[in-house]
Amino acid sequence: DQPAIVGHAVRATLLATGIAAAAYENGNADYIATAKRWWDDMAGKKLFVTGGVGAVHFDEKFGHDYYLPTDAYLETCAAVGVGFFSQAMNQLTGDAKYMDEFERALWHPCPCCPPMFLKIVSATPEFIYARDDRTVYVNLFIGSDADIALGDTQVHVRQQTRYPVDGKVVLTLTPEKAARFTVKVRIPGWARGEENPFGLYVSESPAAPVLSVNGTPVEIRLDKGYALLDRVWNPADRIVLELPVAPRLVRAHKAARELDGMAAIAAGPLVYCIEQADNADYARLRLDTAGSMELGYRSDLMDGTPVITGTAIDGKGAKSTFTAIPYYAFGNRGNGGYRVWLPTR
């Protein structure tokens, strides 16, 4: 009967994971309704743009609705809980929106709880794909090989990609013989102009995703966030998905008062931050939203990382250039500060 997800963020998300997992096994309508209600409350009112939860350091707990301060607590194991809860909801419902949030939570760092970090990393390979009797679901874009049984048909799937640095994903399907089945490929919400399923965050996708089969473009027909491809598949058939990973600005719901007049920078599934190591005046920078942003890659920075450069206004009101790095990479170059949300011009 609890109307919302509350209390200690780690215990709450892991309890919710258990409820969703039990619902998958027993089909209990009350369990299903509770899991959906709690996830909707979390994702729609309490989830930080970086994938973290648990705004309040005292009791390590959820804050009130739309309380999303820039100095929130957000420990690692709470984000891990978000990941496990979201994956369990995907398994329960077959809806891709849950894997969108799983993916966002994967990139949330915080200096705490190494065992929980190891737990989510070791579990992630089994979440790349899912299946039912006649459908292969492609949930995560990670280079991999998998053998998947669809009824009496065995299908080998090979995925090749540099995602999230590059938006191109190549899937080669090799059934043991020609067979008809369905492939569902997740099209992330951010790639369709839906940063958050409840409008907690909004953005505009820089371009539309493109899908092709054996070199021929196909219309993206969405089913619960998946592109649905139903056909006779032959050995070595090839699906290519190209996702728009150019930089975009993200803004928060007007009820998130701490973030009023601010924007975050994202590219693909990654949220970026400006760090003092790259931006001496980082604490006073404002984003010039009329300026362009460029996504690049620096092999000399932390063994290789994507970077975004763009135009900002410094503390003296003059135009300057900012450099942003992925949020997961902050804190590796000394003890300087960083910011995810920046005031806009």
Side-chain angles (χ1 to χ4, degrees), residues 193-204:
E194 188 178 273
E195 193 72 35
N196 176 275
F198 305 100
L200 182 59
Y201 303 104
V202 295
S203 68
E204 293 184 6

Side-chain angles (χ1 to χ4, degrees), residues 103 107 141 161-169 186 188 190-192 195 204-210 241-249 265-272 293-297 306-309 326:
E103 181 178 61
W107 302 97
F141 307 121
T161 183
R162 293 181 64 243
Y163 182 89
V165 176
D166 188 303
K168 185 176 182 179
V169 179
R186 182 173 65 93
W190 55 260
R192 299 182 276 109
E195 193 72 35
E204 293 184 6
S205 178
V210 176
L241 173 64
E242 296 185 65
L243 294 168
V245 295
R248 66 188 185 278
L249 293 181
I265 302 166
L270 300 182
V271 173
Y272 284 67
M293 296 186 292
E294 299 292 333
L295 176 64
Y297 188 83
V307 296
I308 293 175
T309 55

Side-chain angles (χ1 to χ4, degrees), residues 317-335:
K319 284 194 175 184
S320 64
T321 299
F322 72 80
T323 298
I325 62 171
Y327 175 67
Y328 69 76
F330 83 83
N332 287 287
R333 295 174 291 165
N335 296 319

Side-chain angles (χ1 to χ4, degrees), residues 27-103:
N28 184 296
D30 290 336
Y31 281 24
I32 294 171
T34 299
K36 288 183 175 180
R37 185 171 66 249
W38 286 9
W39 194 91
D40 290 357
D41 177 68
M42 176 186 72
K45 299 175 182 176
K46 298 169 181 173
L47 185 67
F48 284 68
V49 72
T50 57
V53 293
V56 183
H57 76 278
F58 176 71
D59 286 344
E60 302 178 333
K61 63 186 178 182
F62 284 101
H64 56 74
D65 291 353
Y66 300 107
Y67 179 58
L68 303 167
T70 58
D71 59 350
Y73 185 62
L74 309 182
E75 61 179 327
T76 300
C77 43
V80 170
V82 170
F84 281 127
F85 183 19
S86 297
Q87 187 278 330
M89 290 301 296
N90 173 260
Q91 185 174 5
L92 177 64
T93 67
D95 195 316
K97 69 183 179 185
Y98 299 110
M99 293 310 292
D100 287 355
E101 299 310 329
F102 175 92
E103 181 178 61

